[in-house]
Amino acid sequence: MIYFHYDPHGQADTACRFAVQAMREQARVLLFVHNGTLSSSARCWLTENKISFLERENEGLDVGAYRAALLHIGRSALDTFDEVILMNYTLAGPVTPLQEMFSRMDTRSDLDFWGLSRHYAMRSRRFGAHGLVPEHIQSHFIAVRRRMYDDFLTYWQDMQLPKSYEDSVRRHETRFTAHFSDLGYKWDTFLDKTAYRGIFVNPIMACPKDLIVTHRCPFFKRRSFFTPYADELRRTDGQAASTLYRYLKQETSFPVDELIASLLPAHPLTAMAQNLHWHYQLQEGTKSEPPVILTPEELQNGVKLSADSIYCLPTSLFQQPTLRLYEQELCWSGSLLCAAVNLFGEHPMLGVLGPAMPLYPEYARARYRLWKNDLSALRRSMADLDLQLPMEENQPLPVPNGGILLVRGSAFPKGLPPLRSHKDFWLLPLLAQKNGFYSADAEMSSQMAARADVYHALLWQVQTSGGAGKIFVRRIKHAILDPKEADE
């Protein structure tokens, strides 16, 4: 078995080790191929577990890694195996017994190659030749049997190394299945080839929990938790990742929280917050110790924090009167603060919590403008603090939204940086993210109920050109009548 791995820091996280150890029990030999240089801890782990590994230049993505691995193994050694498996680190698991999959596919002696899952045919100018992507085995898990080895090795020897993710998909993933099928080889997938045809083109992303429960799929995609959320809303109702997370947490022994912690420093916080729906309801009447309240004066020069305490920070974003009025409603006190502190006890990875945005539409627009205006200063501050984190520039961070912020002391082992203006508060969710903690917002049940009505009212307006046009005209009229407020 060849397991392709990549991590910019050379780390082999818990989920990676979980998968490799499970696959090693099924494979006679496992070769771990890493694009780049492994960290000392990853190299020690591989050595201690007697797992062969190959480090190579980070060139050619998965295609380059598989090609290098096959050349490293050599044809004579390959001939001693009935089957070679190509698997990559984008899969996490297993969450069902692997033996179920291998036993079933062992009965399919008619197959020359097989895979875990398939992507159905679709139109795509990004990935498809002539705009068409054919139905194919997804490249995260492919098994090839001995009678195909001659053509299989020729395929890799002739392969041009891709220079981008799109290149890899076009030259390898969407081409592999059709190439060998055209040569007369027979293929299939472990997951039912007809179960989701006409429903989802990419079931392992669209309904991962259903694949696990109904079809005994042993793996899921790491990307479920950080894929761009707008893409998911074009394909599904946007709940696939949160449904998967709850299932893994409640029904399996898979270390899903350790996976989330390892993903946080490497992927945009906003995308993860959206996919996993890090939004909470405040339960008034909750008995909890109130947070330690810090004053603006205390925040001016930075503050050392106690790891086991929760702190409350005043956070003001706006001065415009209407926006300021709504922001003042976000300054929780008394029982609401106690309810917020209780959320930190319920969610050990929660590092920063703030009030959800008011439902006044102009508040969201003003916050977005603020975010865009603050980006340059934020990036300078990130460089000063060595915060090398990915961000979606067109997607503001989950918090702050104004009013206050609550922070967990252990999410800030070096304390808080100086917080002298609203621009500085954007740093807090990023600092927590670097340390493996996420950020969330919370609101009372009354605002949650109102949010559904606001959503429906605005959604239906923008579904028609006439409705969208009315919104646009109203905004222009508003800007002309009150330009100061429009620019706030």
Side-chain angles (χ1 to χ4, degrees):
M1 178 197 167
I2 300 170
Y3 182 92
F4 162 60
H5 176 262
Y6 173 73
D7 179 86
H9 305 294
Q11 302 289 346
D13 63 24
T14 299
C16 165
R17 298 181 185 198
F18 192 92
V20 168
Q21 287 173 327
M23 287 298 298
R24 189 183 180 205
E25 294 177 3
Q26 303 296 323
R28 183 153 57 94
V29 175
L30 189 149
L31 176 62
F32 186 100
V33 187
H34 175 75
N35 278 5
T37 302
L38 287 164
S39 66
S40 57
S41 63
R43 198 177 292 115
C44 285
W45 171 73
L46 290 163
T47 302
E48 288 170 359
N49 286 277
K50 299 180 180 179
I51 297 172
S52 300
F53 61 93
L54 174 67
E55 297 170 273
R56 60 180 298 275
E57 291 295 321
N58 185 22
E59 295 178 350
L61 291 89
D62 56 341
V63 171
Y66 291 139
R67 180 181 176 182
L70 289 165
L71 292 175
H72 175 80
I73 294 168
R75 178 58 192 266
S76 58
L78 194 65
D79 279 337
T80 65
F81 301 99
D82 295 328
E83 186 173 75
V84 60
I85 295 170
L86 309 181
M87 178 179 171
N88 70 45
Y89 72 102
T90 66
L91 288 177
V95 291
T96 62
L98 282 174
Q99 190 57 43
E100 292 182 17
M101 177 177 69
F102 286 113
S103 294
R104 187 194 307 175
M105 300 314 291
D106 283 346
T107 66
R108 298 291 307 276
S109 58
D110 58 318
L111 299 180
D112 300 299
F113 65 109
W114 60 276
L116 171 71
S117 58
R118 70 182 64 208
H119 194 293
Y120 295 110
M122 69 173 188
R123 295 282 178 185
S124 172
R125 294 187 180 277
R126 181 184 180 194
F127 296 120
H130 311 294
L132 178 65
V133 174
E135 187 168 316
H136 60 274
I137 295 175
Q138 292 180 293
S139 62
H140 46 232
F141 190 106
I142 296 176
V144 173
R145 290 174 174 165
R146 183 185 293 164
R147 54 183 172 269
M148 205 172 94
Y149 283 178
D150 284 339
D151 290 324
F152 178 64
L153 291 174
T154 299
Y155 170 89
W156 289 104
Q157 289 165 354
D158 294 343
M159 175 70 70
Q160 290 184 341
L161 295 186
K163 296 182 179 180
S164 67
Y165 169 70
E166 288 79 7
D167 266 357
S168 178
V169 173
R170 284 191 296 264
R171 293 181 182 179
H172 170 53
E173 176 159 9
T174 61
R175 174 174 170 258
F176 184 94
T177 305
H179 174 80
F180 289 103
S181 180
D182 289 345
L183 291 176
Y185 295 107
K186 187 174 180 180
W187 68 279
D188 203 348
T189 54
F190 170 68
L191 297 175
D192 187 347
K193 64 183 178 183
T194 63
Y196 298 96
R197 183 175 283 132
I199 303 174
F200 300 121
V201 295
N202 189 6
I204 202 166
M205 284 294 295
C207 52
K209 185 243 182 179
D210 191 53
L211 290 184
I212 295 168
V213 174
T214 306
H215 301 278
R216 305 296 291 167
C217 181
F219 296 106
F220 62 93
K221 295 288 280 187
R222 288 170 173 252
R223 186 162 59 91
S224 292
F225 298 129
F226 59 83
T227 192
Y229 196 58
D231 291 348
E232 286 308 291
L233 290 179
R234 283 194 289 270
R235 297 186 286 252
T236 71
D237 66 355
Q239 297 189 66
S242 59
T243 300
L244 172 64
Y245 174 83
R246 287 193 300 273
Y247 174 77
L248 295 173
K249 181 76 173 174
Q250 298 168 8
E251 304 294 335
T252 76
S253 60
F254 181 80
V256 64
D257 282 339
E258 293 183 44
L259 172 58
I260 297 299
S262 68
L263 294 176
L264 270 167
H267 300 284
L269 175 63
T270 302
M272 293 189 67
Q274 290 171 331
N275 280 286
L276 287 159
H277 305 310
W278 286 330
H279 310 283
Y280 300 125
Q281 180 178 341
L282 294 171
Q283 301 287 346
E284 290 193 77
T286 303
K287 292 184 178 180
S288 180
E289 290 293 323
V292 177
I293 297 177
L294 301 176
T295 67
E297 292 73 26
E298 290 176 295
L299 298 176
Q300 289 286 316
N301 298 310
V303 181
K304 294 293 183 183
L305 304 181
S306 171
D308 56 359
S309 295
I310 307 298
Y311 297 82
C312 178
L313 290 56
T315 312
S316 181
L317 301 183
F318 303 110
Q319 296 303 318
Q320 193 277 329
T322 307
L323 301 178
R324 182 63 181 155
L325 177 67
Y326 282 106
E327 184 179 64
Q328 288 172 349
E329 295 180 3
L330 305 181
C331 297
W332 298 333
S333 61
S335 62
L336 287 180
L337 279 180
C338 290
V341 170
N342 190 63
L343 289 172
F344 285 89
E346 295 177 359
H347 304 282
M349 292 175 62
L350 175 60
V352 181
L353 179 71
M357 267 197 300
L359 300 181
Y360 176 47
E362 183 55 33
Y363 198 98
R365 289 191 284 266
R367 182 176 180 270
Y368 177 77
R369 291 194 296 269
L370 193 72
W371 163 256
K372 295 293 284 187
N373 290 336
D374 290 349
L375 265 175
S376 295
L378 176 60
R379 290 202 177 279
R380 289 194 295 271
S381 297
M382 291 174 67
D384 292 341
L385 295 169
D386 193 29
L387 279 178
Q388 300 178 27
L389 297 167
M391 288 195 307
E392 296 175 304
E393 292 194 359
N394 288 319
Q395 293 279 345
L397 296 169
V399 290
N401 290 316
I404 61 168
L405 278 180
L406 281 85
V407 301
R408 183 192 298 272
S410 57
F412 300 88
K414 295 182 180 180
L416 298 177
L419 302 171
R420 300 188 175 105
S421 76
H422 72 268
K423 296 179 182 179
D424 299 323
F425 284 87
W426 294 116
L427 286 168
L428 299 185
L430 296 171
L431 285 165
Q433 178 187 0
K434 181 182 180 181
N435 294 321
F437 292 85
Y438 67 83
S439 298
D441 62 27
E443 61 190 340
M444 292 179 286
S445 58
S446 57
Q447 182 164 323
M448 281 191 166
R451 186 177 298 278
D453 292 316
V454 171
Y455 165 79
H456 286 296
L458 293 179
L459 175 69
W460 289 114
Q461 283 189 66
V462 299
Q463 292 304 303
T464 65
S465 57
K470 286 181 181 179
I471 294 175
F472 183 64
V473 170
R474 286 173 190 156
R475 293 199 65 193
I476 293 176
K477 181 179 178 181
H478 173 72
I480 293 173
L481 292 176
D482 192 352
K484 182 180 178 181
E485 183 169 343
D487 291 337
E488 182 63 30

